[in-house]
Amino acid sequence: MKIAVGADHAGVRLKDGIISVIKDLGHDVVDLGCNCTESVDYPDYAVPVAEMVASGEADRGVLICGTGIGMSIAANKVPGVRCALVHDLFSAKATREHNDTNVLAMGERVIGPGLAEEIARVWLSTEFSQGERHIGRLGKVSDVEHKYHPAP
């Protein structure tokens, strides 16, 4: 898989470890920044990652900021993106199995590097369950998205 990765200044240290995990799992990485600790704006990194995923240019995305909240909000504004903010292993697995999420958000100030790396491993290794109930629910989410973002 091709994984797009982005972080703001508050997530840049965790980003490097996550990129190593992604590569260790045999995936390709597109690093969309940032690569500094000076203050930057999280939408400038969340949106390009989300757009790559929504367009199919990347299979999935990983976003990191201080809490993960800003990144997940910004990414979820892009039609076709299902970004989950995850800080535990159960949610990492469930959000892939039940929600077919295509972008993962985490907070460097909330979790440490060991847990974040394990979350990334679980999230990248878990497949969507394809259960009828989950597909129906995702269809309803897609209907809402199309209601507010109709195709041109």
Side-chain angles (χ1 to χ4, degrees), residues 47-127:
V47 172
V49 167
E51 289 175 338
M52 280 191 76
V53 172
S55 73
E57 199 175 338
D59 299 296
R60 294 195 203 162
V62 176
L63 296 167
I64 307 159
C65 65
T67 63
I69 296 168
M71 288 288 201
S72 63
I73 290 170
N76 278 316
K77 299 298 181 186
V78 177
V81 168
R82 288 177 310 282
C83 179
L85 173 58
V86 174
H87 292 133
D88 63 81
L89 298 176
F90 175 80
S91 298
K93 185 174 181 178
T95 193
R96 283 290 308 134
E97 286 181 340
H98 298 192
N99 309 114
D100 197 19
T101 53
N102 51 15
V103 178
L104 169 68
M106 294 184 284
E108 182 175 310
R109 294 175 180 160
V110 178
I111 56 176
L115 179 56
E117 291 169 10
E118 189 59 27
I119 287 169
R121 277 188 201 90
V122 167
W123 187 78
L124 288 165
S125 301
T126 302
E127 295 296 323

Side-chain angles (χ1 to χ4, degrees), residues 34-57:
C34 89
N35 294 308
C36 67
T37 55
E38 292 82 36
S39 183
V40 296
D41 298 331
Y42 60 82
D44 295 341
Y45 300 92
V47 172
V49 167
E51 289 175 338
M52 280 191 76
V53 172
S55 73
E57 199 175 338

